[in-house]
Amino acid sequence: GGPAPDSTLTDRGLARVQRLRVTLRAVLLRDTTAAIRAPIEVSVQGDQVAVTPAGTDGSWLEPAVAAELLLAQQDNTLRRLKLCRKPTCRAAFYDRSKGNSRIWHDLARCGPSLHDR
């Protein structure tokens, strides 16, 4: 509900975001040693709790991602966030299939081709 964080990145901020991407991939691969360490600001007003990412140069992205992962775990949607199984792709995607059984983010581009059979 507040203003958007500054998304301008320095070289240091870009490196930080790239490390976050590696960590997020490890989380999606269910690596239990993966951890996002980031301060989160929590405010409480009455019965409303708000988590606000803070920081500059991309540092706000770490607590924002950590908070979204926690929310996804609580509403049981984290299991639907996956990485494409194609080794040269590894794109993250949200599996909307009824049985939560997709393994490629795009079947046409990443699924098995005729020469794989």
Side-chain angles (χ1 to χ4, degrees):
D6 180 12
S7 59
T8 306
L9 291 177
T10 63
D11 289 342
R12 183 176 179 204
L14 178 60
R16 188 177 196 147
V17 170
Q18 289 170 331
R19 282 191 306 272
L20 176 60
R21 179 180 58 189
V22 169
T23 302
L24 186 54
R25 283 184 173 152
V27 167
L28 296 181
L29 289 170
R30 309 308 187 244
D31 177 350
T32 58
T33 64
I36 298 172
R37 291 178 175 78
I40 296 176
E41 294 180 22
V42 178
S43 60
V44 180
Q45 291 186 355
D47 61 350
Q48 297 294 310
V49 177
V51 176
T52 307
T56 59
D57 197 24
S59 63
W60 62 268
L61 192 56
E62 291 165 312
V65 168
E68 290 301 324
L69 286 172
L70 179 61
L71 291 172
Q73 178 185 23
Q74 287 181 327
D75 71 10
N76 200 29
T77 57
L78 182 57
R79 64 188 176 86
R80 292 190 172 274
L81 191 56
K82 300 177 178 181
L83 291 179
C84 181
R85 277 249 186 111
K86 185 174 182 179
T88 57
C89 178
R90 305 308 277 169
F93 69 97
Y94 187 83
D95 182 357
R96 296 185 192 286
S97 69
K98 188 174 184 177
N100 192 32
S101 58
R102 283 184 52 198
I103 59 174
W104 301 292
H105 89 283
D106 183 328
L107 180 61
R109 288 192 294 179
C110 298
S113 63
L114 292 176
H115 73 272
D116 292 337
R117 297 178 185 163

